[in-house]
Amino acid sequence: MPRRTLDSLVTQVASELMGVDATTMVAASERVLSWLIEHFDVDTSFLRHTDRDRRASILIAEWPPRPVVPDPDPLQVTYFDSSDSVFSALEHAIEPMVVRPGPQYDDYQQTIRQSTGVAAVSVAAVPLVSRGEPTGVLGFVKEGDREWSTRELNVLKAIAALFAQLQARVVAEERLRYIAMHDDLTGLVNRRALLEHMEERLRAGNAGPVATFFLDLDRLKALNDFLGHTAGDNFIRSLSTRLRENLDPADMIARLGGDEFVIVPAKPMDAESAGMEATRIQQLIGRRVTVGEETVSRGASVGVALGIPGETTVSDVLRRADHALLSAKSSGGNGVAVFTDAMRAQFELQDDVELNLRSAVSDGSLVLHYQPEVDLRTGRVVALEALVRWQHPTRGLLPPGAFVGVAEATNLAGELGRWVIRTASEQFALWRRRGLASNVVIRINVSPVQLVSLDFVETMEGILRRYGIDGSSVCLEITEHVVVQDLARTQVTLRGLKRMGVQIAIDDFGTGYSSLSHLKALPVDAVKIDRGFVQRLGASADDLAIVKSIVGLAGSFGLGVVGEGVETTVAARTLVALGCYRAQGFLIARPMPAEEVEEHLASGRIALDLDLPGTSRSVLPGPS
C-alpha cells in the first residue's frame, strides 16, 4: 500500500471496515493490520477481543501470519489473571499503553527474551473502547526500541475506535442471528438453524448416512394441566439441559416448539446404530425430573430416519422421521420406530388419499358394498351393513380403513358420511320398492364429526323423508369412543334420532371405552361385539369370558347383540350357545356390491353349514 498521511490512513481503514460483517471480519482485519505494519514500520501486529465472562483475551487477527501455529494455539485464548504484568494491565485499560526497553518493564522483557530470543521489544497497545469499557486491544510490536509520538497514538486510538465499532456491530448482528436461530425457552437451536445444518450435512460429498431423530413427549399436556404451564416450561428446560449434557457436543439438538425436538447426531450411523442411539435417548428422557416440589417424568416417542448426502433432501428426511414418530405413537407411545420401506408405502398411500379424497366424494369413484347380518339359527338375512369403498384410479378398490381416518383428519368426514347415508338410503329405498328387504334393517356407520354436528338430526330426517324410509328400518352404528368423547352432545343427538324411530347400535363393543353408566344414559338398541373377541372364540378362554359377559350385559339391559367377525364354525356355534343369534362375518358372507346382495334378499336367507344342536339339517335353506 502506498505510504499515506496519518489522516488518510484513518480514512482508508474506515472505508475498509465499513461493510464488514462476522464472516469477513478476520480477512478485513488482517488487511488493515498489514497496512498498519507497513505504515508504522513495526514487525508484528494483532487484534484481540475481550471475553468478560471468562476474563480472557481472544486472538481475532494477526499480521504477518505465524509460519507454524501449534495446536492448541497458546496465543488463541490468554487469561488475564495468569498472564504477564503488561498483558494483565490491559484488562481494564482504556488509554494506550507503551512498553519500551528499560527497568520499568524488565520482567516483561525477560519473558520476551526467554520465549523468542529477542533482546528487547517496544510495544504499543491501544484499547478498543465501547461505551467507556475496554472490549479488546490493538497491538504493535517492534524489535528493539521505538518511540511512539502522541500524534501516532492518537491516530491509532481513532483506528482502534473503528475496530471497536466493528466489534460492537458484529456482536449485535451475532446476537440477532442467535435470537433468530435459537429457541428462547431452552436456548436450543430452532427449526431455521436445524434446516441450515441439515442442508450442509446432506450436501453431496459429505460422510453419511445422516441419522435424524424426531422426538415428541407423551402427555405433556397432562403435566401442564396438573402443575401449570410454568412447571411445564421448567420441565422442558431441564430436559433440554439433560440432552446437552448427555449427547456429543457436536450433535445438533433443536426444539421445534411445544414438546417436539429433533436431534441430528454428528457421526454417521446406519439404521441399527441409529435405532440403538434413539432408544438410549428415549430412556434418557424418561428419567424423572424435579419441578418445584414435584418429581415427574414423561415418556417420549422417537421416530428415526436416515438421509444419504447428495441423494436425500432435508424435507424428505424430516418427513420420514415424522412418519416414523407417528408410527411409534400409534403403537401406544413411549417407544422408538425406524422408518422402513413398508412405512414409506403406508404414508405414500396416506398422502395420495389426502390429495385425492375430496374429488372422490364428488366424482363417482366411491361405492358402497353391503355385508349381510343373519340369524345363525335360520340363515335369515336380518340386516345389511353399508360399507364404503373407494375405486381408486391407480390403487384399485380401497377399504374404508385406508381413507376414513384421513377423512376425519382433514375435515372430510362429514361430507363423506353424508354421501354414505344418502347413497345407502337411496339403494335401500330401491330394494324396498322392488319388494326386497321388507324385513331387513339397513345399518350405516356414523363418524364422530357427524354425531356432534348440530344439524345431523335434521339432515337425517330430510334424507329419510326424501327416500320414503321409516326410521325403524335404519340403524346407525357408533363406536364406543364416540360415546365418551362428548356424552352430553351425543345424548341430545341420539334422542333426536330416536324420536324418528331410528335404531342405534354401539359398534366394536368391549374395547374398553364404555361403561354401564353410558349404556343406561343413552337410548341404545343393540351392541355389536368387537370382532377381535369373536375371532378368537374356541382358542381363548379369556375372550370366551368377555363375550359371555357382553351377551349377559346386553340381555340385562334389554339390548340386541350382534357378533362381528365370524370366520369359523366354532365361533358361530359358540355365539349361538351363549345366546347371541345374530352375526356377520366372512363365514357368512363378505361385503358385496348391491347387485350381488339382491340374490340373497330375493330368498331372504344365506346357506350356512354350522351343525347346530337341535336343528334337523346342517345346511340351512339357500335361495329357492
Side-chain angles (χ1 to χ4, degrees):
M1 181 184 81
R3 191 167 184 84
R4 290 174 168 79
T5 66
L6 291 178
D7 289 339
S8 65
L9 180 62
V10 174
T11 302
Q12 179 69 16
V13 172
S15 177
E16 176 68 19
L17 299 182
M18 184 177 298
V20 174
D21 58 21
T23 61
T24 58
M25 181 176 65
V26 172
S29 298
E30 288 176 343
R31 283 194 297 273
V32 171
L33 293 183
S34 69
W35 300 345
L36 298 179
I37 279 182
E38 181 180 352
H39 187 92
F40 292 105
D41 189 26
V42 294
D43 297 310
T44 61
S45 181
F46 58 84
L47 173 68
R48 306 185 71 94
H49 288 170
T50 299
D51 183 336
R52 292 199 172 280
D53 293 334
R54 292 193 289 172
R55 291 191 61 208
S57 177
I58 313 299
L59 180 63
I60 301 300
E62 60 182 337
W63 197 266
R66 284 169 286 163
V68 178
V69 179
D71 186 16
D73 182 2
L75 300 182
Q76 182 62 43
V77 179
T78 303
Y79 294 92
F80 290 114
D81 60 0
S82 60
S83 59
D84 59 73
S85 59
V86 171
F87 204 84
S88 295
L90 292 172
E91 181 178 7
H92 303 292
I94 59 174
E95 291 294 334
M97 180 177 181
V98 176
V99 176
R100 299 176 66 186
Q104 182 180 359
Y105 299 108
D106 189 56
D107 61 333
Y108 173 73
Q109 298 290 355
Q110 186 175 351
T111 301
I112 295 297
R113 284 193 295 272
Q114 292 174 350
S115 60
T116 67
V118 177
V121 296
S122 176
V123 178
V126 184
L128 277 57
V129 181
S130 179
R131 297 183 179 180
E133 295 290 332
T135 59
V137 62
L138 179 62
F140 303 90
V141 180
K142 172 74 172 179
E143 291 186 18
D145 194 8
R146 186 195 192 286
E147 183 178 355
W148 291 87
S149 70
T150 301
R151 172 69 172 151
E152 288 177 324
L153 292 178
N154 285 337
V155 166
L156 290 179
K157 286 177 65 175
I159 293 174
L162 294 173
F163 273 113
Q165 291 172 10
L166 169 62
Q167 179 187 10
R169 186 171 75 246
V170 168
V171 168
E173 290 172 354
E174 287 294 293
R175 179 59 184 164
L176 289 175
R177 177 174 171 79
Y178 181 90
I179 293 172
M181 305 292 276
H182 288 76
D183 170 54
D184 58 355
L185 176 65
T186 63
L188 298 176
V189 299
N190 59 17
R191 180 185 293 274
R192 179 179 173 184
L194 171 70
L195 296 179
E196 287 189 8
H197 175 80
M198 293 187 68
E199 285 282 1
E200 177 59 34
R201 287 289 306 278
L202 290 171
R203 201 179 303 280
N206 288 341
V210 179
T212 300
F213 306 147
F214 206 135
L215 285 69
D216 184 90
L217 300 181
D218 296 330
R219 300 182 68 248
L220 181 66
K221 183 178 183 298
L223 188 149
N224 286 331
D225 291 345
F226 181 65
L227 297 178
H229 285 275
T230 299
D233 288 348
N234 290 337
F235 179 84
I236 292 289
R237 275 193 289 263
S238 297
L239 181 61
S240 302
T241 300
R242 180 182 298 172
L243 289 173
R244 279 194 295 256
E245 291 175 347
N246 288 274
L247 298 182
D248 188 317
D251 291 349
M252 167 67 75
I253 311 172
R255 179 176 180 240
L256 304 190
D259 55 3
E260 291 185 337
F261 298 80
V262 171
I263 297 173
V264 183
K267 298 178 181 178
M269 292 184 178
D270 57 22
E272 182 179 0
S273 299
M276 293 173 61
E277 176 65 4
T279 299
R280 183 184 78 87
I281 293 173
Q282 190 254 350
Q283 293 171 348
L284 180 70
I285 293 172
R287 296 178 190 170
R288 302 186 74 81
V289 173
T290 299
V291 178
E293 298 180 355
E294 301 287 342
T295 302
V296 298
S297 66
R298 297 288 88 180
S301 300
V302 185
V304 182
L306 301 182
I308 306 300
E311 298 181 15
T312 318
T313 66
V314 173
S315 59
D316 284 342
V317 176
L318 288 177
R319 185 157 46 87
R320 292 170 188 174
D322 188 31
H323 287 337
L325 171 63
L326 292 175
S327 179
K329 293 183 78 70
S330 66
S331 300
N334 199 31
V336 173
V338 180
F339 189 81
T340 62
D341 288 339
M343 216 177 282
R344 184 199 313 275
Q346 173 190 348
F347 286 104
E348 284 178 353
L349 170 60
Q350 181 174 315
D351 291 343
D352 186 354
V353 167
E354 188 169 339
L355 286 172
N356 298 294
L357 181 57
R358 185 175 298 278
S359 60
V361 175
S362 57
D363 67 9
S365 58
L366 293 177
V367 295
L368 287 184
H369 284 190
Y370 300 86
Q371 186 171 29
E373 174 191 317
V374 303
D375 185 325
L376 291 172
R377 298 166 298 182
T378 64
R380 184 175 68 86
V381 177
V382 295
L384 292 168
E385 182 176 2
L387 299 167
V388 65
R389 302 287 190 267
W390 180 8
Q391 189 63 53
H392 192 278
T394 60
R395 297 180 182 273
L397 193 65
L398 297 180
F403 59 89
V404 169
V406 175
E408 293 178 347
T410 55
N411 298 321
L412 274 173
E415 188 176 348
L416 176 62
R418 286 189 293 273
W419 181 90
V420 170
I421 293 175
R422 285 196 307 269
T423 306
S425 299
E426 183 179 14
Q427 180 63 64
F428 189 65
L430 176 62
W431 283 328
R432 283 285 180 92
R433 289 196 299 272
R434 295 170 56 188
L436 303 172
S438 56
N439 296 313
V440 172
V441 171
I442 185 72
R443 296 188 180 276
I444 304 172
N445 294 282
V446 178
S447 73
V449 173
Q450 291 174 281
L451 199 64
V452 298
S453 174
L454 296 177
D455 64 349
F456 180 66
V457 173
E458 181 180 352
T459 300
M460 193 71 204
E461 184 177 18
I463 292 174
L464 295 181
R465 186 185 305 112
R466 175 180 178 181
Y467 294 109
I469 302 173
D470 59 289
S472 61
S473 298
V474 177
C475 179
L476 299 183
E477 298 187 359
I478 61 177
T479 56
E480 285 192 81
H481 74 275
V482 173
V483 173
V484 299
Q485 198 171 46
D486 189 343
L487 183 59
R489 182 64 220 166
T490 301
Q491 287 176 318
V492 172
T493 301
L494 296 189
R495 286 168 184 164
L497 294 170
K498 291 302 292 181
R499 285 194 292 271
M500 294 185 289
V502 174
Q503 299 183 51
I504 306 297
I506 298 181
D507 199 11
D508 302 329
F509 190 81
T511 52
Y513 292 98
S514 289
S515 67
L516 296 179
S517 62
H518 293 140
L519 291 180
K520 291 172 64 177
L522 298 172
V524 176
D525 298 282
V527 296
K528 299 183 74 174
I529 305 171
D530 182 71
R531 68 182 64 250
F533 303 124
V534 174
Q535 288 171 340
R536 292 188 290 268
L537 288 177
S540 169
D542 290 340
D543 290 327
L544 174 62
I546 291 172
V547 172
K548 184 176 182 179
S549 67
I550 292 174
V551 174
L553 179 66
S556 66
F557 279 91
L559 304 176
V561 60
V562 182
E564 293 188 280
V566 176
E567 297 181 359
T568 65
T569 55
V570 172
R573 289 197 297 264
T574 303
L575 287 174
V576 172
L578 294 175
C580 174
Y581 304 125
R582 295 192 299 181
Q584 65 183 126
F586 290 174
L587 178 71
I588 301 163
R590 291 177 177 270
M592 60 191 79
E595 55 271 18
E596 294 183 27
V597 175
E598 292 182 7
E599 299 178 16
H600 299 292
L601 291 178
S603 68
R605 298 174 184 272
I606 293 179
L608 301 174
D609 186 2
L610 302 181
D611 193 21
L612 298 175
T615 59
S616 57
R617 302 190 328 172
S618 60
V619 180
L620 296 171
S624 56

